[in-house]
Amino acid sequence: MKKAFITGITGQDGSYLAEFLLQKGYEVHGFVRRSSGLNTSRIRHLIQDGASAQQRIHVHYGDLTDAGSLERALRKSMPDEVYHLGAQSHVGLSFEMPAYTLDTVGASTVRMLEAIRNLAHLKDIAYYQASSSEMFGNSPEVPQTETTAFYPRSPYACAKVFAYWQTVNYREAYGLRASNGIMFNHESPRRGENFVTRKITRGLAKILKKESDKLFLGNLNAKRDWGYAKDYVEAMWLMLQQPAGDDYVIATGECWSVRDFVQEAFGLANLDWQRYVEIDPRMIRPTDGDVLHGDSTKARRTLGWVPRTKFKDLVRIMVDADLADEGISL
């Protein structure tokens, strides 16, 4: 039985990845930060889903800022595959917490790579680094590919660029089987409510329930390549099934604005979004990438990966889920 180690297992991507790997027959080890209000809601169903699931999912407590806890968890689990998804992942918040973002996004990657290098004499471990389309920022090249130059526009994006090159360096310097997955925006009903897509779908649900009459947003003109997180975790796994590490853009190849997302979501409820949405200048980032639009030709050819969920279907999935949470059906 293969074993996988996932940081950020309690997040959107981590929970979907854990489900995917359990279905593949893996034993899954998750790295979780202990807090007074431990957030395991996204994986609680996996832990409670019968004896067989409990035997194949294990939680290790530690912190990405603590190299010792990382290495101890890896030595205890001795995984075949490591998926490093954990981080302070909110772009807007990174402007408020730049040093912490650098530590959990950038420095944590070095800690993880060092821990794997120290174990390399015991086991060949395939490593996945969660890279981000935010690294491209204001790149003039559209769409962006694996060869597009980075132009990061936030502390988060700068930290991701650092982590990306550390992964490449450890692969080339020490022969680690390490891959970067340059993921473009991927959403789902499990997306955190402080991310714009969930703000929109949760805001719509509150409006329909008469609990709110306004939805406050920032830059409606920003364009993103939005996919479904459940599709994207398969690409992560496919990368680590290759004989050598490499770097891959994962994207749908379609680009939509925040305004498009709002219009599509409110249209599903037959509401005129312009009556409810207002711009809050406090939500405008100091710097932002205008157009993030990916070309995943390499992943499609090499990995055989294709996105299955279209933009409008993704919006419908998210709207239906948030309305269901409020007891509303369309």
Side-chain angles (χ1 to χ4, degrees):
M1 180 185 294
K2 274 192 172 183
K3 292 192 285 185
F5 184 90
I6 305 171
T7 69
I9 193 172
T10 60
Q12 170 191 254
D13 293 4
S15 63
Y16 281 124
L17 179 61
E19 287 177 347
F20 179 86
L21 294 174
L22 287 171
Q23 290 170 1
K24 291 283 185 184
Y26 279 64
E27 177 180 302
V28 174
H29 295 257
F31 192 67
V32 178
R33 180 167 58 91
R34 172 76 75 177
S35 66
S36 58
L38 185 61
N39 178 23
T40 58
S41 60
R42 294 185 181 95
I43 62 169
R44 189 173 299 126
H45 66 291
L46 299 179
I47 299 172
Q48 297 175 346
D49 187 23
S52 61
Q54 290 181 37
Q55 291 167 2
R56 291 192 287 120
I57 188 165
H58 308 271
V59 173
H60 302 262
Y61 293 104
D63 197 290
L64 294 175
T65 64
D66 177 26
S69 64
L70 269 175
E71 184 151 355
R72 282 191 297 274
L74 283 171
R75 284 187 176 276
K76 187 173 181 180
S77 58
M78 288 303 293
D80 300 283
E81 300 168 6
V82 171
Y83 298 85
H84 185 29
L85 313 181
Q88 190 300 100
S89 60
H90 193 274
V91 177
L93 186 59
S94 74
F95 286 97
E96 304 297 323
M97 306 175 68
Y100 178 72
T101 300
L102 176 61
D103 200 0
T104 61
V105 174
S108 74
T109 299
V110 177
R111 296 183 191 107
M112 180 65 78
L113 289 165
E114 272 293 285
I116 292 172
R117 184 166 77 94
N118 290 338
L119 293 176
H121 64 290
L122 298 177
K123 193 170 194 178
D124 176 34
I125 298 173
Y127 173 75
Y128 173 83
Q129 170 60 29
S131 291
S132 169
S133 61
E134 291 289 333
M135 301 187 303
F136 296 122
N138 262 5
S139 171
E141 182 180 332
V142 179
Q144 294 96 26
T145 72
E146 293 82 3
T147 61
T148 301
F150 299 137
Y151 188 171
R153 299 282 283 169
S154 68
Y156 170 81
C158 291
K160 281 293 186 184
V161 171
F162 174 88
Y164 171 93
W165 283 116
Q166 290 289 352
T167 302
V168 172
N169 185 60
Y170 271 74
R171 181 171 70 219
E172 295 178 352
Y174 305 116
L176 297 189
R177 194 149 57 96
S179 294
N180 280 294
I182 307 174
M183 297 280 172
F184 279 67
N185 291 62
H186 45 290
E187 317 297 315
S188 76
R190 298 182 190 176
R191 189 55 134 160
E193 293 182 22
N194 56 342
F195 288 81
V196 67
T197 52
R198 280 301 303 287
K199 282 183 183 177
I200 294 167
T201 57
R202 289 293 299 157
L204 172 61
K206 296 296 184 184
I207 288 168
L208 289 173
K209 204 174 181 182
K210 309 298 184 184
E211 293 181 357
S212 175
D213 58 4
K214 290 293 179 183
L215 171 60
F216 295 95
L217 297 172
N219 180 15
L220 298 184
N221 296 319
K223 292 183 177 181
R224 297 292 184 265
D225 187 323
W226 272 306
Y228 186 24
K230 202 169 184 179
D231 294 343
Y232 282 40
V233 298
E234 181 183 14
M236 301 176 188
W237 175 77
L238 285 169
M239 289 178 210
L240 299 199
Q241 308 318 301
Q242 306 307 305
D246 206 342
D247 310 315
Y248 301 90
V249 162
I250 303 299
T252 68
E254 297 182 0
C255 198
W256 304 82
S257 69
V258 175
R259 181 180 284 101
D260 292 330
F261 199 108
V262 173
Q263 184 173 339
E264 184 66 26
F266 276 70
L268 291 171
N270 295 315
L271 294 181
D272 179 2
W273 67 270
Q274 295 181 82
R275 292 179 53 195
Y276 301 96
V277 175
E278 290 190 8
I279 304 302
D280 185 344
R282 295 173 298 178
M283 295 183 180
I284 305 292
R285 298 170 184 168
T287 52
D288 198 4
D290 294 327
V291 181
L292 297 179
H293 181 192
D295 179 351
S296 58
T297 299
K298 179 179 177 180
R300 295 176 193 228
R301 289 176 178 171
T302 306
L303 307 178
W305 176 85
V306 291
R308 299 185 181 90
T309 308
K310 295 291 187 180
F311 172 75
K312 292 186 178 183
D313 296 325
L314 170 64
V315 178
R316 164 69 77 171
I317 290 168
M318 295 181 66
V319 167
D320 285 349
D322 277 327
L323 266 54
D325 283 346
E326 297 292 343
I328 303 169
S329 60
L330 294 177

